């Protein structure tokens, strides 16, 4: 039985279809004071439950904890966190800061396994108290492109593996830039010579939030004569005017998966999740 978080309804439906298993009835309710409650009727006697729930917001995380609680009578509960919110705060960057990813992982109890998709820093998986693994969406992302031997570039060192895997799927080659974060919405990307002249380039990152990282990388590639530049990511967080800003920066298209369900979520990770189950 697949149980959907409210922010992963399409993806959970696709996983259920792909596996040919039932999708549980779920009710997401809200009290007048803003507190929320989930209800998952019909789980009596269900042996195995898979909760599919991205957590881009605080309330979706609380909802996830409630979903797991509502499923606790099942013999086995597997949790799929397609997008794990707070995963970027994976260490104490300044003295005294909370390590949010640690707090989030510690809050998830009583599940038999956790799966994430291209989580920002895979070492955070060690903080779950059950077996946890990270799935790779690069193959699914590749389905969105029909390009002739593109150059695939990650805008910083963190997405090098993702860029390499995507390049392999697209019969292209990969490279990476170097980024320094100045503030929450300001980054600097060092110029670096890439073989971009006259080529289609796919910039790929685990997520696009403000789009600042991608915009800086687009500038570097434009300066080097790239033909068309695509901005691809697994998780389209897309804060504020990120999409407008990317098109204004000259991007050909913004492409993402459905770990977060947005207008640019053109490809699905349902197959990757279904195969892993
Ligand atoms: C951080 O290192 C991530 O991999 C992304 O590069 C970052 O979250 C993108 O953020 P933004 O779109 O705000 O530049």
């Amino acid at each position: 039985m697949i149980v959907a978080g409210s922010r992963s309804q399409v993806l959970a439906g696709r996983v259920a279809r792909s596996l040919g298993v039932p999708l549980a009835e779920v009710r997401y309710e809200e009290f007048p004071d803003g507190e929320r409650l989930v209800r998952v009727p019909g789980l009596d006697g269900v042996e195995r439950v898979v909760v599919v729930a991205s957590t881009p917001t605080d309330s979706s995380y609380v909802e996830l904890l409630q979903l797991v609680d509502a499923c606790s009578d099942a013999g086995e509960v597997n949790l799929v966190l397609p997008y794990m919110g707070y995963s970027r705060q994976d260490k104490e960057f300044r003295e005294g800061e909370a390590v949010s990813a640690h707090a989030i992982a510690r809050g998830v109890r009583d599940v038999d396994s956790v799966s994430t998709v291209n989580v920002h820093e895979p070492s955070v998986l060690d903080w779950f108290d059950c077996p946890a693994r990270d799935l790779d969406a690069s193959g699914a992302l590749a389905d969105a492109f029909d390009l002739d031997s593109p150059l695939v570039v990650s805008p910083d060192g963190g997405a090098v593996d993702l860029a390499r895997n995507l390049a392999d799927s697209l019969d292209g080659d990969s490279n990476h830039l170097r980024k320094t974060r100045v503030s929450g919405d300001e980054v600097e990307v060092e110029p670096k010579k890439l073989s971009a002249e006259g080529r289609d380039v796919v910039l790929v990152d685990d997520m696009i939030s403000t789009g600042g990282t991608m915009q800086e990388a687009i500038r570097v590639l434009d300066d080097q004569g790239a033909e068309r530049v695509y901005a691809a990511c697994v998780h389209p967080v897309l804060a504020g005017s990120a999409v407008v800003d990317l098109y204004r920066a000259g991007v050909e298209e913004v492409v993402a998966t459905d770990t977060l369900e947005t207008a640019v979520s053109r490809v699905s990770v349902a197959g990757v999740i279904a195969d892993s189950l």
Side-chain angles (χ1 to χ4, degrees), residues 137-197:
S138 58
L141 212 41
D143 290 343
F145 297 100
D146 181 16
L147 300 172
D148 189 20
S149 194
L151 173 64
V152 181
V153 177
S154 68
D156 62 26
V160 167
D161 289 347
L162 180 60
R164 190 182 304 120
N165 292 343
L166 183 59
D168 286 348
S169 299
L170 293 174
D171 281 333
D173 53 308
S174 67
N175 210 322
H176 72 278
L177 293 162
R178 257 183 249 286
K179 170 181 89 177
T180 312
R181 183 161 287 285
V182 181
S183 68
D185 59 0
E186 203 185 336
V187 297
E188 280 169 8
V189 172
E190 280 175 35
K192 172 181 168 185
K193 187 76 191 128
L194 304 164
S195 48
E197 176 80 39

Side-chain angles (χ1 to χ4, degrees), residues 12-24:
R14 287 172 173 160
V15 172
R17 281 290 170 276
S18 171
L19 290 171
V21 301
L23 183 62

